[in-house]
């Protein structure tokens, strides 16, 4: 498999985002299915698992800990702090004491004594990022965390944080239909030796071609509140798929594999972490690692689906103000 690095850690170039096993896209799968997915991921060579305190308000970390703790020496474990549930509501809190408390809770749920990569899930703009990163640096010195990451930050914020403690990875949405990292963060990561972890690399199922009707989404599916998935807007975006799917067929791969291969080819410091609840989809995603697609296919994919052809913002206004990423 293709290998990539996060600081001194080597991982396969496609990891697993675990959120959908507990959070975000409607009803969580049955426990047995979630366990089979996690164990199947190990068997398929996944050695980078990503979770967070927010997902299921601790339930996802608990699941990952209970299922994968016996195999802890076989994978790199990432989790996140600074965004968690309080009395049933999501709260951003980047105060040093809160981050340290959150780490203790995550360690217990994950059944480990050290988290390999611990992200600040959201920069709390009421707290200087230097103070939040300073708290995470304390956790590194205490041996509870190996490396520090940031999520959904701008290049300027990354540089401020990196001046306090080396930032091993930045995690942000990146795919054919979300190009914001290309404005500045990808280059800043390359300059600083920071890995870039791409979440939602198949555009929350859009680039799989499987989601044709947003009316099937459950009421609590987060996509129902995302502008790109509003029925009229999504209908416009669906018009992009036939040509894209034809290109994937021409290349001898699935639409999801083409999306992942495009990301892997963009830069060697990019690590996509697609999420799924199904083993067949996981096998399909990992199959992107063995693809050798002509450069012109990747160029054509990028010309078909990009920030100029996609309609709608990726977040609603309330969520957009919580992130620090550059926008077009």
């Amino acid at each position: 498999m293709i290998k990539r690095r996060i600081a001194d850690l080597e991982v396969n170039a496609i990891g697993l985002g675990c959120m959908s096993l507990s959070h975000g896209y409607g009803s969580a799968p049955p426990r047995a299915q979630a366990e089979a997915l996690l164990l199947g991921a190990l068997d398929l060579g996944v050695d980078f698992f990503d979770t967070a305190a927010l997902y299921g308000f601790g339930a996802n970390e608990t699941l990952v800990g209970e299922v994968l703790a016996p195999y802890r020496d076989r994978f790199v474990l990432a989790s996140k702090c600074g965004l968690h549930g309080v009395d049933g509501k999501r709260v951003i809190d980047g105060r040093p004491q809160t981050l340290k408390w959150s780490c203790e809770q995550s360690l217990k749920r994950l059944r480990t004594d050290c988290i390999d990569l611990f992200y600040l899930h959201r920069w709390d703009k009421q707290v200087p990022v230097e103070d939040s990163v300073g708290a995470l640096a304390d956790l590194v010195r205490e041996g509870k965390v190996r490396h520090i990451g940031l999520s959904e930050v701008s290049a300027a914020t990354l540089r401020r944080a990196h001046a306090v403690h080396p930032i091993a990875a930045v995690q942000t949405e990146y795919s054919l239909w979300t190009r914001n990292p290309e404005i500045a963060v990808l280059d800043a990561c390359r300059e600083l030796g920071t890995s870039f972890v791409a979440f939602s690399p198949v555009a929350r199922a859009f680039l799989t071609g499987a989601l044709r009707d947003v009316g099937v989404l459950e009421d609590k599916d987060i996509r129902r509140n995302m502008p790109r998935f509003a029925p009229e807007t999504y209908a416009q975006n669906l018009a992009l798929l036939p040509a894209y799917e034809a290109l994937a067929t021409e290349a001898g791969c699935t639409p999801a594999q083409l999306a992942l291969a495009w990301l892997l080819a963009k830069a060697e410091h990019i690590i996509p972490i697609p999420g799924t609840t199904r083993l067949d989809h996981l096998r399909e995603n990992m199959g992107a690692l063995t693809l050798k697609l002509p450069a012109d296919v990747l160029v054509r994919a990028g010309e078909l689906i990009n920030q100029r052809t996609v309609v709608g913002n990726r977040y609603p206004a309330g969520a957009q103000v919580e992130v620090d990423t550059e926008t077009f």
Side-chain angles (χ1 to χ4, degrees):
M1 290 195 180
I2 304 170
K3 297 287 186 178
R4 302 220 159 152
R5 300 197 69 82
I6 301 172
D8 61 349
L9 306 172
E10 186 177 71
V11 296
N12 288 325
I14 294 178
L16 179 66
C18 299
M19 182 183 83
S20 60
L21 297 175
S22 309
H23 181 93
Y25 299 117
S27 300
R31 170 69 182 224
Q33 181 180 337
E35 289 184 13
L37 190 285
L38 291 171
L39 295 175
L42 277 180
D43 291 341
L44 287 168
V46 175
D47 57 4
F48 180 39
F49 291 82
D50 179 276
T51 182
L54 175 70
Y55 303 158
F57 292 179
N60 196 245
E61 286 183 324
T62 298
L63 171 69
V64 170
E66 290 176 355
V67 176
L68 295 183
Y71 313 97
R72 184 65 184 88
D73 61 343
R74 291 175 53 184
F75 62 90
V76 170
L77 177 61
S79 195
K80 310 178 195 71
C81 62
L83 179 58
H84 55 272
V86 177
D87 297 328
K89 297 180 180 179
R90 64 193 296 279
V91 172
I92 297 175
D93 187 343
R95 293 174 297 173
Q97 64 269 31
T98 302
L99 301 184
K100 292 181 178 182
W101 167 84
S102 185
C103 181
E104 295 296 338
Q105 303 308 306
S106 291
L107 289 169
K108 292 175 184 175
R109 290 190 291 260
L110 292 165
R111 301 191 179 193
T112 188
D113 57 4
C114 182
I115 298 170
D116 297 310
L117 176 60
F118 202 43
Y119 293 95
L120 184 65
H121 203 162
R122 289 290 186 273
W123 171 32
D124 179 352
K125 297 172 185 177
Q126 305 303 310
V127 180
V129 71
E130 291 85 353
D131 291 356
S132 296
V133 171
L136 299 183
D138 289 342
L139 294 171
V140 173
R141 285 187 284 270
E142 293 167 12
K144 297 173 181 177
V145 169
R146 290 185 69 178
H147 298 290
I148 296 172
L150 300 175
S151 179
E152 295 275 34
V153 297
S154 64
T157 301
L158 167 60
R159 288 192 171 93
R160 285 174 55 190
H162 194 78
V164 175
H165 187 279
I167 302 301
V170 166
Q171 179 175 141
T172 293
E173 183 176 356
Y174 187 31
S175 69
L176 283 161
W177 90 335
T178 295
R179 303 297 192 89
N180 304 66
E182 296 175 3
I183 299 171
V185 169
L186 276 178
D187 286 343
C189 285
R190 183 184 293 107
E191 173 192 329
L192 298 173
T194 298
S195 299
F196 184 92
V197 177
F199 74 78
S200 298
V202 294
R204 305 183 192 273
F206 172 73
L207 291 170
T208 69
L211 182 62
R212 276 344 225 235
D213 178 10
V214 292
V216 304
L217 300 178
E218 294 182 27
D219 289 344
K220 59 182 180 179
D221 190 307
I222 58 175
R223 289 171 290 188
R224 280 201 168 271
N225 292 317
M226 293 180 169
R228 288 181 184 176
F229 290 91
E232 291 184 4
T233 304
Y234 198 67
Q236 296 178 69
N237 290 325
L238 282 176
L240 302 173
L241 282 183
Y244 175 73
E245 291 170 324
L247 180 60
T249 299
E250 176 188 328
C253 64
T254 69
Q257 289 172 336
L258 177 54
L260 292 167
W262 179 86
L263 267 177
L264 292 171
K266 291 296 287 184
E268 292 186 356
H269 64 301
I270 296 173
I271 303 169
I273 53 166
T276 183
T277 62
R278 291 174 45 175
L279 270 172
D280 58 335
H281 289 169
L282 179 61
R283 293 189 191 96
E284 177 186 345
N285 291 340
M286 297 303 286
L289 291 170
T290 59
L291 289 178
K292 297 194 181 301
L293 300 181
D296 74 292
V297 168
L298 301 175
V299 170
R300 287 159 63 194
E303 291 172 344
L304 285 170
I305 300 179
N306 56 63
Q307 74 276 13
R308 294 179 300 277
T309 62
V310 171
V311 180
N313 295 325
R314 67 189 184 104
Y315 285 140
Q320 185 61 45
V321 299
E322 295 178 352
V323 302
D324 180 49
T325 46
E326 292 90 353
T327 57
F328 287 103

